[in-house]
PDB file of all heavy atoms in Angstrom:
ATOM      1  N   GLN A1096     159.263  15.545 212.699  1.00 82.00           N
ATOM      2  CA  GLN A1096     158.132  15.818 213.564  1.00 82.00           C
ATOM      3  C   GLN A1096     158.437  16.957 214.526  1.00 82.00           C
ATOM      4  O   GLN A1096     157.589  17.815 214.784  1.00 82.00           O
ATOM      5  CB  GLN A1096     157.753  14.550 214.336  1.00 82.00           C
ATOM      6  CG  GLN A1096     156.432  14.708 215.077  1.00 82.00           C
ATOM      7  CD  GLN A1096     156.049  13.430 215.798  1.00 82.00           C
ATOM      8  OE1 GLN A1096     156.378  12.348 215.381  1.00 82.00           O
ATOM      9  NE2 GLN A1096     155.368  13.586 216.921  1.00 82.00           N
ATOM     10  N   TYR A1106     150.217  15.462 206.776  1.00 91.00           N
ATOM     11  CA  TYR A1106     150.636  15.933 205.452  1.00 91.00           C
ATOM     12  C   TYR A1106     151.893  15.237 204.987  1.00 91.00           C
ATOM     13  O   TYR A1106     152.056  14.953 203.815  1.00 91.00           O
ATOM     14  CB  TYR A1106     150.817  17.455 205.475  1.00 91.00           C
ATOM     15  CG  TYR A1106     149.572  18.186 205.868  1.00 91.00           C
ATOM     16  CD1 TYR A1106     149.461  18.828 207.094  1.00 91.00           C
ATOM     17  CD2 TYR A1106     148.473  18.207 204.999  1.00 91.00           C
ATOM     18  CE1 TYR A1106     148.297  19.478 207.464  1.00 91.00           C
ATOM     19  CE2 TYR A1106     147.304  18.849 205.366  1.00 91.00           C
ATOM     20  CZ  TYR A1106     147.227  19.478 206.583  1.00 91.00           C
ATOM     21  OH  TYR A1106     146.072  20.111 206.948  1.00 91.00           O
ATOM     22  N   ASN A1112     152.614  10.147 198.109  1.00 92.00           N
ATOM     23  CA  ASN A1112     151.548   9.654 197.239  1.00 92.00           C
ATOM     24  C   ASN A1112     150.970  10.778 196.383  1.00 92.00           C
ATOM     25  O   ASN A1112     150.704  10.588 195.206  1.00 92.00           O
ATOM     26  CB  ASN A1112     150.441   9.046 198.099  1.00 92.00           C
ATOM     27  CG  ASN A1112     149.921   7.760 197.499  1.00 92.00           C
ATOM     28  OD1 ASN A1112     150.675   6.987 196.929  1.00 92.00           O
ATOM     29  ND2 ASN A1112     148.656   7.548 197.618  1.00 92.00           N
ATOM     30  N   ASN A1127     146.398  17.111 178.980  1.00 89.00           N
ATOM     31  CA  ASN A1127     145.632  16.414 177.947  1.00 89.00           C
ATOM     32  C   ASN A1127     144.660  17.373 177.273  1.00 89.00           C
ATOM     33  O   ASN A1127     144.518  17.372 176.051  1.00 89.00           O
ATOM     34  CB  ASN A1127     144.887  15.251 178.569  1.00 89.00           C
ATOM     35  CG  ASN A1127     144.726  14.110 177.601  1.00 89.00           C
ATOM     36  OD1 ASN A1127     145.484  13.985 176.655  1.00 89.00           O
ATOM     37  ND2 ASN A1127     143.717  13.300 177.802  1.00 89.00           N
ATOM     38  N   THR A1196     127.975 -19.906 185.599  1.00 94.00           N
ATOM     39  CA  THR A1196     129.078 -20.506 186.357  1.00 94.00           C
ATOM     40  C   THR A1196     128.910 -20.247 187.857  1.00 94.00           C
ATOM     41  O   THR A1196     129.124 -21.140 188.683  1.00 94.00           O
ATOM     42  CB  THR A1196     130.420 -19.919 185.879  1.00 94.00           C
ATOM     43  OG1 THR A1196     130.440 -20.001 184.446  1.00 94.00           O
ATOM     44  CG2 THR A1196     131.576 -20.710 186.428  1.00 94.00           C
ATOM     45  N   ARG A1202     126.202 -24.279 194.032  1.00 86.00           N
ATOM     46  CA  ARG A1202     125.508 -25.516 194.443  1.00 86.00           C
ATOM     47  C   ARG A1202     126.412 -26.298 195.378  1.00 86.00           C
ATOM     48  O   ARG A1202     127.625 -26.117 195.384  1.00 86.00           O
ATOM     49  CB  ARG A1202     125.175 -26.349 193.211  1.00 86.00           C
ATOM     50  CG  ARG A1202     124.191 -25.693 192.268  1.00 86.00           C
ATOM     51  CD  ARG A1202     124.149 -26.475 190.979  1.00 86.00           C
ATOM     52  NE  ARG A1202     123.644 -27.843 191.228  1.00 86.00           N
ATOM     53  CZ  ARG A1202     122.371 -28.195 191.188  1.00 86.00           C
ATOM     54  NH1 ARG A1202     121.465 -27.298 190.886  1.00 86.00           N
ATOM     55  NH2 ARG A1202     122.015 -29.441 191.406  1.00 86.00           N
ATOM     56  N   ARG A1205     131.009 -31.140 195.060  1.00 83.00           N
ATOM     57  CA  ARG A1205     132.325 -31.522 195.550  1.00 83.00           C
ATOM     58  C   ARG A1205     133.405 -30.699 194.866  1.00 83.00           C
ATOM     59  O   ARG A1205     133.289 -30.387 193.680  1.00 83.00           O
ATOM     60  CB  ARG A1205     132.565 -32.994 195.241  1.00 83.00           C
ATOM     61  CG  ARG A1205     131.751 -33.911 196.059  1.00 83.00           C
ATOM     62  CD  ARG A1205     132.571 -34.406 197.209  1.00 83.00           C
ATOM     63  NE  ARG A1205     131.731 -34.926 198.261  1.00 83.00           N
ATOM     64  CZ  ARG A1205     132.230 -35.480 199.356  1.00 83.00           C
ATOM     65  NH1 ARG A1205     133.518 -35.549 199.509  1.00 83.00           N
ATOM     66  NH2 ARG A1205     131.417 -35.933 200.280  1.00 83.00           N
ATOM     67  N   LEU A1219     144.590 -14.203 186.005  1.00 86.00           N
ATOM     68  CA  LEU A1219     145.938 -13.774 186.403  1.00 86.00           C
ATOM     69  C   LEU A1219     146.904 -13.669 185.240  1.00 86.00           C
ATOM     70  O   LEU A1219     147.947 -13.029 185.362  1.00 86.00           O
ATOM     71  CB  LEU A1219     146.517 -14.756 187.421  1.00 86.00           C
ATOM     72  CG  LEU A1219     145.722 -14.904 188.717  1.00 86.00           C
ATOM     73  CD1 LEU A1219     146.414 -15.894 189.622  1.00 86.00           C
ATOM     74  CD2 LEU A1219     145.604 -13.554 189.395  1.00 86.00           C
ATOM     75  N   SER A1221     148.758 -12.594 181.826  1.00 89.00           N
ATOM     76  CA  SER A1221     148.870 -11.298 181.188  1.00 89.00           C
ATOM     77  C   SER A1221     148.153 -11.366 179.837  1.00 89.00           C
ATOM     78  O   SER A1221     148.033 -12.404 179.224  1.00 89.00           O
ATOM     79  CB  SER A1221     150.339 -10.939 180.973  1.00 89.00           C
ATOM     80  OG  SER A1221     150.825 -11.557 179.817  1.00 89.00           O
ATOM     81  N   LYS A1230     146.224 -17.487 169.918  1.00 91.00           N
ATOM     82  CA  LYS A1230     146.736 -17.348 168.575  1.00 91.00           C
ATOM     83  C   LYS A1230     147.350 -18.680 168.115  1.00 91.00           C
ATOM     84  O   LYS A1230     147.185 -19.101 166.977  1.00 91.00           O
ATOM     85  CB  LYS A1230     147.817 -16.266 168.583  1.00 91.00           C
ATOM     86  CG  LYS A1230     147.936 -15.549 167.266  1.00 91.00           C
ATOM     87  CD  LYS A1230     148.830 -14.363 167.369  1.00 91.00           C
ATOM     88  CE  LYS A1230     149.073 -13.832 165.983  1.00 91.00           C
ATOM     89  NZ  LYS A1230     149.793 -12.580 165.995  1.00 91.00           N
ATOM     90  N   TRP A1231     147.993 -19.337 169.047  1.00 90.00           N
ATOM     91  CA  TRP A1231     148.621 -20.619 168.737  1.00 90.00           C
ATOM     92  C   TRP A1231     147.565 -21.674 168.441  1.00 90.00           C
ATOM     93  O   TRP A1231     147.722 -22.514 167.573  1.00 90.00           O
ATOM     94  CB  TRP A1231     149.515 -21.008 169.914  1.00 90.00           C
ATOM     95  CG  TRP A1231     150.094 -22.388 169.838  1.00 90.00           C
ATOM     96  CD1 TRP A1231     149.904 -23.388 170.742  1.00 90.00           C
ATOM     97  CD2 TRP A1231     150.916 -22.914 168.803  1.00 90.00           C
ATOM     98  NE1 TRP A1231     150.596 -24.503 170.327  1.00 90.00           N
ATOM     99  CE2 TRP A1231     151.205 -24.251 169.152  1.00 90.00           C
ATOM    100  CE3 TRP A1231     151.446 -22.405 167.619  1.00 90.00           C
ATOM    101  CZ2 TRP A1231     151.999 -25.078 168.366  1.00 90.00           C
ATOM    102  CZ3 TRP A1231     152.226 -23.217 166.823  1.00 90.00           C
ATOM    103  CH2 TRP A1231     152.510 -24.528 167.211  1.00 90.00           C
ATOM    104  N   TRP A1270     136.917 -15.426 177.959  1.00 96.00           N
ATOM    105  CA  TRP A1270     137.692 -16.525 178.544  1.00 96.00           C
ATOM    106  C   TRP A1270     138.632 -16.010 179.632  1.00 96.00           C
ATOM    107  O   TRP A1270     138.738 -16.587 180.703  1.00 96.00           O
ATOM    108  CB  TRP A1270     138.499 -17.209 177.436  1.00 96.00           C
ATOM    109  CG  TRP A1270     139.317 -18.399 177.882  1.00 96.00           C
ATOM    110  CD1 TRP A1270     138.890 -19.683 178.033  1.00 96.00           C
ATOM    111  CD2 TRP A1270     140.718 -18.399 178.216  1.00 96.00           C
ATOM    112  NE1 TRP A1270     139.928 -20.490 178.460  1.00 96.00           N
ATOM    113  CE2 TRP A1270     141.071 -19.725 178.575  1.00 96.00           C
ATOM    114  CE3 TRP A1270     141.709 -17.421 178.278  1.00 96.00           C
ATOM    115  CZ2 TRP A1270     142.346 -20.097 178.966  1.00 96.00           C
ATOM    116  CZ3 TRP A1270     142.991 -17.785 178.657  1.00 96.00           C
ATOM    117  CH2 TRP A1270     143.297 -19.115 178.990  1.00 96.00           C
ATOM    118  N   HIS A1272     138.541 -13.171 181.408  1.00 93.00           N
ATOM    119  CA  HIS A1272     138.057 -12.361 182.520  1.00 93.00           C
ATOM    120  C   HIS A1272     136.829 -12.893 183.231  1.00 93.00           C
ATOM    121  O   HIS A1272     136.429 -12.347 184.252  1.00 93.00           O
ATOM    122  CB  HIS A1272     137.781 -10.924 182.058  1.00 93.00           C
ATOM    123  CG  HIS A1272     138.989 -10.270 181.476  1.00 93.00           C
ATOM    124  ND1 HIS A1272     140.094  -9.944 182.224  1.00 93.00           N
ATOM    125  CD2 HIS A1272     139.287  -9.909 180.202  1.00 93.00           C
ATOM    126  CE1 HIS A1272     141.007  -9.417 181.468  1.00 93.00           C
ATOM    127  NE2 HIS A1272     140.565  -9.384 180.221  1.00 93.00           N
ATOM    128  N   VAL A1352     141.134   2.444 171.676  1.00 92.00           N
ATOM    129  CA  VAL A1352     142.384   2.645 172.414  1.00 92.00           C
ATOM    130  C   VAL A1352     143.588   2.409 171.512  1.00 92.00           C
ATOM    131  O   VAL A1352     144.595   3.124 171.570  1.00 92.00           O
ATOM    132  CB  VAL A1352     142.445   1.748 173.661  1.00 92.00           C
ATOM    133  CG1 VAL A1352     143.806   1.880 174.337  1.00 92.00           C
ATOM    134  CG2 VAL A1352     141.351   2.091 174.634  1.00 92.00           C
TER     135      VAL A1352
ATOM    136  N   THR B 108     120.101 -32.218 187.673  1.00 80.00           N
ATOM    137  CA  THR B 108     120.829 -30.940 187.649  1.00 80.00           C
ATOM    138  C   THR B 108     122.233 -31.114 188.237  1.00 80.00           C
ATOM    139  O   THR B 108     123.137 -30.367 187.857  1.00 80.00           O
ATOM    140  CB  THR B 108     120.085 -29.859 188.439  1.00 80.00           C
ATOM    141  OG1 THR B 108     119.801 -30.376 189.761  1.00 80.00           O
ATOM    142  CG2 THR B 108     118.803 -29.451 187.777  1.00 80.00           C
ATOM    143  N   ASP B 109     122.405 -32.070 189.150  1.00 83.00           N
ATOM    144  CA  ASP B 109     123.748 -32.327 189.675  1.00 83.00           C
ATOM    145  C   ASP B 109     124.657 -32.822 188.565  1.00 83.00           C
ATOM    146  O   ASP B 109     125.789 -32.385 188.425  1.00 83.00           O
ATOM    147  CB  ASP B 109     123.698 -33.369 190.791  1.00 83.00           C
ATOM    148  CG  ASP B 109     122.937 -32.834 191.995  1.00 83.00           C
ATOM    149  OD1 ASP B 109     123.280 -31.741 192.477  1.00 83.00           O
ATOM    150  OD2 ASP B 109     121.987 -33.508 192.428  1.00 83.00           O
ATOM    151  N   TYR B 113     128.061 -31.084 187.079  1.00 90.00           N
ATOM    152  CA  TYR B 113     129.389 -31.685 186.957  1.00 90.00           C
ATOM    153  C   TYR B 113     129.873 -31.722 185.527  1.00 90.00           C
ATOM    154  O   TYR B 113     131.048 -31.518 185.239  1.00 90.00           O
ATOM    155  CB  TYR B 113     129.417 -33.099 187.577  1.00 90.00           C
ATOM    156  CG  TYR B 113     129.475 -33.048 189.086  1.00 90.00           C
ATOM    157  CD1 TYR B 113     128.381 -33.408 189.846  1.00 90.00           C
ATOM    158  CD2 TYR B 113     130.626 -32.627 189.713  1.00 90.00           C
ATOM    159  CE1 TYR B 113     128.426 -33.340 191.253  1.00 90.00           C
ATOM    160  CE2 TYR B 113     130.698 -32.549 191.104  1.00 90.00           C
ATOM    161  CZ  TYR B 113     129.589 -32.920 191.860  1.00 90.00           C
ATOM    162  OH  TYR B 113     129.640 -32.841 193.211  1.00 90.00           O
ATOM    163  N   TYR B 115     129.071 -29.559 183.234  1.00 92.00           N
ATOM    164  CA  TYR B 115     129.456 -28.165 182.922  1.00 92.00           C
ATOM    165  C   TYR B 115     130.841 -27.870 183.488  1.00 92.00           C
ATOM    166  O   TYR B 115     131.687 -27.281 182.796  1.00 92.00           O
ATOM    167  CB  TYR B 115     128.405 -27.226 183.513  1.00 92.00           C
ATOM    168  CG  TYR B 115     128.709 -25.759 183.283  1.00 92.00           C
ATOM    169  CD1 TYR B 115     128.337 -25.153 182.091  1.00 92.00           C
ATOM    170  CD2 TYR B 115     129.345 -24.989 184.240  1.00 92.00           C
ATOM    171  CE1 TYR B 115     128.598 -23.811 181.864  1.00 92.00           C
ATOM    172  CE2 TYR B 115     129.631 -23.659 184.022  1.00 92.00           C
ATOM    173  CZ  TYR B 115     129.251 -23.079 182.841  1.00 92.00           C
ATOM    174  OH  TYR B 115     129.519 -21.748 182.597  1.00 92.00           O
ATOM    175  N   LEU B 122     138.172 -26.347 179.092  1.00 94.00           N
ATOM    176  CA  LEU B 122     138.240 -25.073 178.350  1.00 94.00           C
ATOM    177  C   LEU B 122     139.204 -24.078 179.009  1.00 94.00           C
ATOM    178  O   LEU B 122     139.844 -23.310 178.314  1.00 94.00           O
ATOM    179  CB  LEU B 122     136.827 -24.470 178.281  1.00 94.00           C
ATOM    180  CG  LEU B 122     136.699 -23.285 177.324  1.00 94.00           C
ATOM    181  CD1 LEU B 122     136.918 -23.706 175.894  1.00 94.00           C
ATOM    182  CD2 LEU B 122     135.323 -22.641 177.481  1.00 94.00           C
ATOM    183  N   SER B 133     153.204 -27.847 173.741  1.00 88.00           N
ATOM    184  CA  SER B 133     153.728 -27.401 172.452  1.00 88.00           C
ATOM    185  C   SER B 133     155.098 -26.779 172.594  1.00 88.00           C
ATOM    186  O   SER B 133     155.938 -26.868 171.693  1.00 88.00           O
ATOM    187  CB  SER B 133     152.775 -26.380 171.803  1.00 88.00           C
ATOM    188  OG  SER B 133     151.518 -26.941 171.619  1.00 88.00           O
ATOM    189  N   ASN B 253     151.613   4.033 199.471  1.00 95.00           N
ATOM    190  CA  ASN B 253     150.163   3.868 199.624  1.00 95.00           C
ATOM    191  C   ASN B 253     149.788   3.640 201.094  1.00 95.00           C
ATOM    192  O   ASN B 253     148.763   4.127 201.558  1.00 95.00           O
ATOM    193  CB  ASN B 253     149.656   2.707 198.781  1.00 95.00           C
ATOM    194  CG  ASN B 253     149.567   3.071 197.311  1.00 95.00           C
ATOM    195  OD1 ASN B 253     149.948   4.158 196.909  1.00 95.00           O
ATOM    196  ND2 ASN B 253     149.077   2.166 196.507  1.00 95.00           N
ATOM    197  N   ARG B 266     142.929  19.458 208.299  1.00 89.00           N
ATOM    198  CA  ARG B 266     142.304  20.303 207.310  1.00 89.00           C
ATOM    199  C   ARG B 266     142.631  19.796 205.895  1.00 89.00           C
ATOM    200  O   ARG B 266     143.797  19.487 205.608  1.00 89.00           O
ATOM    201  CB  ARG B 266     142.809  21.733 207.466  1.00 89.00           C
ATOM    202  CG  ARG B 266     142.005  22.759 206.722  1.00 89.00           C
ATOM    203  CD  ARG B 266     142.850  23.979 206.456  1.00 89.00           C
ATOM    204  NE  ARG B 266     143.240  24.593 207.719  1.00 89.00           N
ATOM    205  CZ  ARG B 266     142.859  25.840 208.076  1.00 89.00           C
ATOM    206  NH1 ARG B 266     142.106  26.548 207.272  1.00 89.00           N
ATOM    207  NH2 ARG B 266     143.254  26.351 209.214  1.00 89.00           N
ATOM    208  N   ILE B 285     143.706   7.094 179.079  1.00 80.00           N
ATOM    209  CA  ILE B 285     143.206   8.446 178.844  1.00 80.00           C
ATOM    210  C   ILE B 285     144.330   9.456 178.890  1.00 80.00           C
ATOM    211  O   ILE B 285     144.293  10.452 178.183  1.00 80.00           O
ATOM    212  CB  ILE B 285     142.187   8.819 179.941  1.00 80.00           C
ATOM    213  CG1 ILE B 285     141.102   7.761 180.020  1.00 80.00           C
ATOM    214  CG2 ILE B 285     141.584  10.168 179.696  1.00 80.00           C
ATOM    215  CD1 ILE B 285     140.267   7.668 178.797  1.00 80.00           C
ATOM    216  N   GLU B 342     155.092   9.913 215.608  1.00 89.00           N
ATOM    217  CA  GLU B 342     154.022   9.496 214.675  1.00 89.00           C
ATOM    218  C   GLU B 342     154.562   8.479 213.676  1.00 89.00           C
ATOM    219  O   GLU B 342     153.891   7.531 213.312  1.00 89.00           O
ATOM    220  CB  GLU B 342     153.467  10.721 213.942  1.00 89.00           C
ATOM    221  CG  GLU B 342     152.821  11.751 214.854  1.00 89.00           C
ATOM    222  CD  GLU B 342     151.693  11.165 215.685  1.00 89.00           C
ATOM    223  OE1 GLU B 342     150.823  10.479 215.110  1.00 89.00           O
ATOM    224  OE2 GLU B 342     151.657  11.384 216.906  1.00 89.00           O
ATOM    225  N   MET B 367     150.851  -8.687 190.227  1.00 85.00           N
ATOM    226  CA  MET B 367     150.072  -9.054 189.033  1.00 85.00           C
ATOM    227  C   MET B 367     150.025  -7.906 188.034  1.00 85.00           C
ATOM    228  O   MET B 367     150.289  -8.087 186.856  1.00 85.00           O
ATOM    229  CB  MET B 367     148.644  -9.380 189.451  1.00 85.00           C
ATOM    230  CG  MET B 367     148.294 -10.811 189.404  1.00 85.00           C
ATOM    231  SD  MET B 367     146.804 -11.074 190.386  1.00 85.00           S
ATOM    232  CE  MET B 367     145.616 -10.080 189.514  1.00 85.00           C
ATOM    233  N   ASN B 371     152.196  -8.011 184.395  1.00 88.00           N
ATOM    234  CA  ASN B 371     151.374  -8.160 183.194  1.00 88.00           C
ATOM    235  C   ASN B 371     151.209  -6.885 182.391  1.00 88.00           C
ATOM    236  O   ASN B 371     150.627  -6.904 181.315  1.00 88.00           O
ATOM    237  CB  ASN B 371     149.977  -8.668 183.580  1.00 88.00           C
ATOM    238  CG  ASN B 371     150.010 -10.074 184.128  1.00 88.00           C
ATOM    239  OD1 ASN B 371     150.966 -10.802 183.895  1.00 88.00           O
ATOM    240  ND2 ASN B 371     148.996 -10.448 184.860  1.00 88.00           N
ATOM    241  N   GLN B 389     156.735  -8.714 178.646  1.00 89.00           N
ATOM    242  CA  GLN B 389     155.502  -8.616 177.875  1.00 89.00           C
ATOM    243  C   GLN B 389     155.775  -7.925 176.540  1.00 89.00           C
ATOM    244  O   GLN B 389     155.288  -8.351 175.492  1.00 89.00           O
ATOM    245  CB  GLN B 389     154.416  -7.850 178.622  1.00 89.00           C
ATOM    246  CG  GLN B 389     154.202  -8.330 180.045  1.00 89.00           C
ATOM    247  CD  GLN B 389     153.617  -9.737 180.114  1.00 89.00           C
ATOM    248  OE1 GLN B 389     153.102 -10.261 179.142  1.00 89.00           O
ATOM    249  NE2 GLN B 389     153.724 -10.352 181.271  1.00 89.00           N
ATOM    250  N   GLN B 396     156.818 -11.722 168.654  1.00 74.00           N
ATOM    251  CA  GLN B 396     155.847 -12.422 167.815  1.00 74.00           C
ATOM    252  C   GLN B 396     155.586 -11.645 166.535  1.00 74.00           C
ATOM    253  O   GLN B 396     155.184 -12.206 165.528  1.00 74.00           O
ATOM    254  CB  GLN B 396     154.550 -12.694 168.570  1.00 74.00           C
ATOM    255  CG  GLN B 396     153.731 -11.493 168.910  1.00 74.00           C
ATOM    256  CD  GLN B 396     152.441 -11.467 168.107  1.00 74.00           C
ATOM    257  OE1 GLN B 396     152.020 -12.461 167.540  1.00 74.00           O
ATOM    258  NE2 GLN B 396     151.820 -10.298 168.072  1.00 74.00           N
ATOM    259  N   LYS B 438     140.749  -5.953 190.580  1.00 54.00           N
ATOM    260  CA  LYS B 438     141.820  -6.845 190.156  1.00 54.00           C
ATOM    261  C   LYS B 438     142.921  -6.030 189.505  1.00 54.00           C
ATOM    262  O   LYS B 438     142.690  -4.901 189.158  1.00 54.00           O
ATOM    263  CB  LYS B 438     141.304  -7.885 189.193  1.00 54.00           C
ATOM    264  CG  LYS B 438     141.145  -7.397 187.781  1.00 54.00           C
ATOM    265  CD  LYS B 438     140.759  -8.511 186.865  1.00 54.00           C
ATOM    266  CE  LYS B 438     139.988  -7.912 185.699  1.00 54.00           C
ATOM    267  NZ  LYS B 438     139.721  -8.788 184.626  1.00 54.00           N
TER     268      LYS B 438
END
Side-chain angles (χ1 to χ4, degrees):
Chain A
Q1096 190 178 330
Y1106 300 109
N1112 222 36
N1127 211 24
T1196 311
R1202 295 170 63 90
R1205 289 262 161 177
L1219 299 181
S1221 82
K1230 209 170 171 173
W1231 172 239
W1270 181 84
H1272 302 293
V1352 175
Chain B
T108 52
D109 294 308
Y113 282 109
Y115 179 84
L122 190 66
S133 301
N253 284 3
R266 194 203 297 244
I285 306 295
E342 299 302 313
M367 253 163 62
N371 293 340
Q389 310 293 344
Q396 69 111 16
K438 80 174 154 171

